[in-house]
Amino acid sequence: MRAQLCVAVFLILIASCAPFSQEVMQEVTRDIAFNDVVKAPDAFKDVSVIWGGVIVETVARADDTLVIVRQTDLDFQKRPINPDTSAGRFIIRYQGFLDPAIYTKNREVTVVGKIAGIEEHPVGDYRYPHPLIDTKDLRLWEKRIEYAYYYDPWYPWGPYPWRPYPWYRHPWHHHPYWW
């Protein structure tokens, strides 16, 4: 009985950590490549996908909001990884208002939605075809924290005041005064 309770609690904890619900994830077709959709968008119309990437631009319109995203790979949590590699761009169409001050450039986003077709938008002077995704579920990820890793250049032989003697080293360094 106790083991069954532990397993049940463990499964509830795992399910509560998922960024998207099970119902939404069951509708997703996972084996669709981004490049295949760009080449033949009509073949994949109304197919559910999960894509993510880094926001390039957010455009709020009267009835909806367009979020232009540079596509990246996703990790096991469905969070974008490797922001320096991309197969292209896609557009998230969200029915309603998303604040462009929150959905800003270089934020990470993941979307579950249906492919609605292709829209061409300019990237510089080039008209670039963007797959259009109608949103079912949208996740804006927290900003990643950049840690500054500190390396002590004097460790383990540094001149620290709490060292008892100037010849002090770590215990694994044998010194004649330690015997």
Side-chain angles (χ1 to χ4, degrees), residues 4 27 33 42 45-46 64 90 118 121 127 132 137 158-159 166 178:
Q4 293 172 345
E27 297 175 11
D42 293 333
K45 196 163 183 131
D46 293 329
D64 57 9
F90 65 93
I118 292 281
H121 287 268
R127 300 286 296 171
L132 182 66
D137 201 352
W178 286 35

mmCIF file of all heavy atoms in Angstrom, residues 4 27 33 42 45-46 64 90 118 121 127 132 137 158-159 166 178:
data_model
loop_
_atom_site.group_PDB
_atom_site.id
_atom_site.type_symbol
_atom_site.label_atom_id
_atom_site.label_comp_id
_atom_site.label_asym_id
_atom_site.label_seq_id
_atom_site.Cartn_x
_atom_site.Cartn_y
_atom_site.Cartn_z
ATOM 1 N N GLN A 4 2.466 1.836 -3.406
ATOM 2 C CA GLN A 4 1.512 2.372 -4.370
ATOM 3 C C GLN A 4 1.277 3.854 -4.138
ATOM 4 O O GLN A 4 1.148 4.630 -5.094
ATOM 5 C CB GLN A 4 0.199 1.615 -4.285
ATOM 6 C CG GLN A 4 0.313 0.174 -4.736
ATOM 7 C CD GLN A 4 -0.963 -0.603 -4.446
ATOM 8 O OE1 GLN A 4 -1.814 -0.164 -3.691
ATOM 9 N NE2 GLN A 4 -1.064 -1.788 -5.063
ATOM 10 N N GLU A 27 -2.437 15.592 -29.167
ATOM 11 C CA GLU A 27 -2.826 16.001 -30.508
ATOM 12 C C GLU A 27 -1.628 16.326 -31.398
ATOM 13 O O GLU A 27 -1.774 16.427 -32.610
ATOM 14 C CB GLU A 27 -3.729 17.232 -30.426
ATOM 15 C CG GLU A 27 -5.032 16.986 -29.712
ATOM 16 C CD GLU A 27 -5.845 18.258 -29.553
ATOM 17 O OE1 GLU A 27 -5.488 19.270 -30.180
ATOM 18 O OE2 GLU A 27 -6.821 18.228 -28.805
ATOM 19 N N ALA A 33 9.075 17.781 -39.728
ATOM 20 C CA ALA A 33 10.248 18.655 -39.754
ATOM 21 C C ALA A 33 9.841 20.046 -40.205
ATOM 22 O O ALA A 33 8.952 20.222 -41.055
ATOM 23 C CB ALA A 33 11.304 18.089 -40.685
ATOM 24 N N ASP A 42 0.781 23.202 -47.790
ATOM 25 C CA ASP A 42 -0.581 22.698 -47.964
ATOM 26 C C ASP A 42 -0.724 21.244 -47.520
ATOM 27 O O ASP A 42 -1.796 20.815 -47.108
ATOM 28 C CB ASP A 42 -1.015 22.835 -49.428
ATOM 29 C CG ASP A 42 -1.147 24.300 -49.836
ATOM 30 O OD1 ASP A 42 -1.423 25.134 -48.940
ATOM 31 O OD2 ASP A 42 -0.953 24.613 -51.024
ATOM 32 N N LYS A 45 -1.444 21.332 -43.626
ATOM 33 C CA LYS A 45 -2.459 22.246 -43.106
ATOM 34 C C LYS A 45 -3.330 21.541 -42.061
ATOM 35 O O LYS A 45 -3.714 20.398 -42.233
ATOM 36 C CB LYS A 45 -3.321 22.764 -44.247
ATOM 37 C CG LYS A 45 -4.112 23.975 -43.866
ATOM 38 C CD LYS A 45 -4.608 24.699 -45.086
ATOM 39 C CE LYS A 45 -5.325 25.923 -44.623
ATOM 40 N NZ LYS A 45 -4.928 27.105 -45.294
ATOM 41 N N ASP A 46 -3.599 22.231 -40.968
ATOM 42 C CA ASP A 46 -4.405 21.756 -39.835
ATOM 43 C C ASP A 46 -3.753 20.603 -39.065
ATOM 44 O O ASP A 46 -4.440 19.861 -38.358
ATOM 45 C CB ASP A 46 -5.814 21.353 -40.278
ATOM 46 C CG ASP A 46 -6.615 22.553 -40.743
ATOM 47 O OD1 ASP A 46 -6.388 23.659 -40.216
ATOM 48 O OD2 ASP A 46 -7.463 22.394 -41.635
ATOM 49 N N ASP A 64 -5.895 40.148 -33.250
ATOM 50 C CA ASP A 64 -4.944 39.122 -32.849
ATOM 51 C C ASP A 64 -3.552 39.720 -32.696
ATOM 52 O O ASP A 64 -3.344 40.901 -32.918
ATOM 53 C CB ASP A 64 -4.934 37.974 -33.859
ATOM 54 C CG ASP A 64 -4.628 38.425 -35.280
ATOM 55 O OD1 ASP A 64 -4.263 39.598 -35.479
ATOM 56 O OD2 ASP A 64 -4.754 37.607 -36.203
ATOM 57 N N PHE A 90 9.060 31.292 -38.092
ATOM 58 C CA PHE A 90 7.634 31.016 -38.200
ATOM 59 C C PHE A 90 6.874 32.082 -37.432
ATOM 60 O O PHE A 90 7.453 32.864 -36.686
ATOM 61 C CB PHE A 90 7.289 29.604 -37.717
ATOM 62 C CG PHE A 90 7.519 29.350 -36.253
ATOM 63 C CD1 PHE A 90 6.487 29.519 -35.332
ATOM 64 C CD2 PHE A 90 8.750 28.932 -35.790
ATOM 65 C CE1 PHE A 90 6.697 29.269 -33.988
ATOM 66 C CE2 PHE A 90 8.960 28.674 -34.446
ATOM 67 C CZ PHE A 90 7.934 28.855 -33.546
ATOM 68 N N ILE A 118 1.108 29.575 -44.979
ATOM 69 C CA ILE A 118 2.367 30.320 -45.107
ATOM 70 C C ILE A 118 2.034 31.792 -45.332
ATOM 71 O O ILE A 118 1.109 32.119 -46.081
ATOM 72 C CB ILE A 118 3.199 29.793 -46.303
ATOM 73 C CG1 ILE A 118 3.711 28.388 -46.033
ATOM 74 C CG2 ILE A 118 4.343 30.722 -46.641
ATOM 75 C CD1 ILE A 118 4.918 28.314 -45.149
ATOM 76 N N HIS A 121 6.730 37.539 -45.239
ATOM 77 C CA HIS A 121 7.063 38.806 -44.604
ATOM 78 C C HIS A 121 8.491 39.163 -44.986
ATOM 79 O O HIS A 121 9.322 38.284 -45.197
ATOM 80 C CB HIS A 121 6.940 38.701 -43.071
ATOM 81 C CG HIS A 121 5.532 38.654 -42.599
ATOM 82 N ND1 HIS A 121 4.830 39.774 -42.250
ATOM 83 C CD2 HIS A 121 4.679 37.616 -42.418
ATOM 84 C CE1 HIS A 121 3.619 39.429 -41.872
ATOM 85 N NE2 HIS A 121 3.501 38.122 -41.966
ATOM 86 N N ARG A 127 11.702 38.585 -49.362
ATOM 87 C CA ARG A 127 10.369 38.140 -48.930
ATOM 88 C C ARG A 127 10.500 36.696 -48.454
ATOM 89 O O ARG A 127 10.672 35.792 -49.254
ATOM 90 C CB ARG A 127 9.362 38.247 -50.061
ATOM 91 C CG ARG A 127 9.143 39.622 -50.638
ATOM 92 C CD ARG A 127 8.353 40.532 -49.755
ATOM 93 N NE ARG A 127 7.005 40.029 -49.557
ATOM 94 C CZ ARG A 127 6.162 40.550 -48.685
ATOM 95 N NH1 ARG A 127 6.505 41.578 -47.970
ATOM 96 N NH2 ARG A 127 4.964 40.044 -48.514
ATOM 97 N N LEU A 132 2.652 29.703 -40.618
ATOM 98 C CA LEU A 132 1.748 30.369 -39.682
ATOM 99 C C LEU A 132 1.115 29.323 -38.775
ATOM 100 O O LEU A 132 0.552 28.339 -39.247
ATOM 101 C CB LEU A 132 0.665 31.131 -40.453
ATOM 102 C CG LEU A 132 -0.325 31.928 -39.646
ATOM 103 C CD1 LEU A 132 0.363 33.090 -38.946
ATOM 104 C CD2 LEU A 132 -1.432 32.451 -40.543
ATOM 105 N N ASP A 137 -1.890 26.492 -27.330
ATOM 106 C CA ASP A 137 -1.259 26.730 -26.032
ATOM 107 C C ASP A 137 0.074 27.416 -26.285
ATOM 108 O O ASP A 137 0.792 27.059 -27.225
ATOM 109 C CB ASP A 137 -1.060 25.413 -25.284
ATOM 110 C CG ASP A 137 -0.898 25.610 -23.787
ATOM 111 O OD1 ASP A 137 -0.790 26.766 -23.340
ATOM 112 O OD2 ASP A 137 -0.876 24.600 -23.057
ATOM 113 N N GLY A 158 47.285 30.212 -2.447
ATOM 114 C CA GLY A 158 47.167 31.662 -2.378
ATOM 115 C C GLY A 158 47.573 32.273 -1.052
ATOM 116 O O GLY A 158 47.598 31.620 -0.021
ATOM 117 N N PRO A 159 47.891 33.535 -1.051
ATOM 118 C CA PRO A 159 48.298 34.245 0.166
ATOM 119 C C PRO A 159 47.080 34.737 0.948
ATOM 120 O O PRO A 159 46.723 35.919 0.898
ATOM 121 C CB PRO A 159 49.116 35.406 -0.387
ATOM 122 C CG PRO A 159 48.494 35.684 -1.712
ATOM 123 C CD PRO A 159 48.040 34.353 -2.246
ATOM 124 N N PRO A 166 53.240 30.655 6.440
ATOM 125 C CA PRO A 166 53.490 30.939 5.025
ATOM 126 C C PRO A 166 53.774 29.685 4.213
ATOM 127 O O PRO A 166 53.631 29.686 3.012
ATOM 128 C CB PRO A 166 54.701 31.866 5.039
ATOM 129 C CG PRO A 166 55.206 31.886 6.410
ATOM 130 C CD PRO A 166 54.186 31.294 7.315
ATOM 131 N N TRP A 178 55.081 19.394 8.966
ATOM 132 C CA TRP A 178 53.857 18.699 9.321
ATOM 133 C C TRP A 178 54.118 17.348 9.954
ATOM 134 O O TRP A 178 53.222 16.694 10.401
ATOM 135 C CB TRP A 178 52.997 18.494 8.076
ATOM 136 C CG TRP A 178 52.343 19.739 7.616
ATOM 137 C CD1 TRP A 178 52.843 20.990 7.671
ATOM 138 C CD2 TRP A 178 51.072 19.836 7.028
ATOM 139 N NE1 TRP A 178 51.983 21.870 7.133
ATOM 140 C CE2 TRP A 178 50.862 21.189 6.728
ATOM 141 C CE3 TRP A 178 50.093 18.941 6.706
ATOM 142 C CZ2 TRP A 178 49.709 21.652 6.142
ATOM 143 C CZ3 TRP A 178 48.952 19.394 6.110
ATOM 144 C CH2 TRP A 178 48.768 20.740 5.844
#
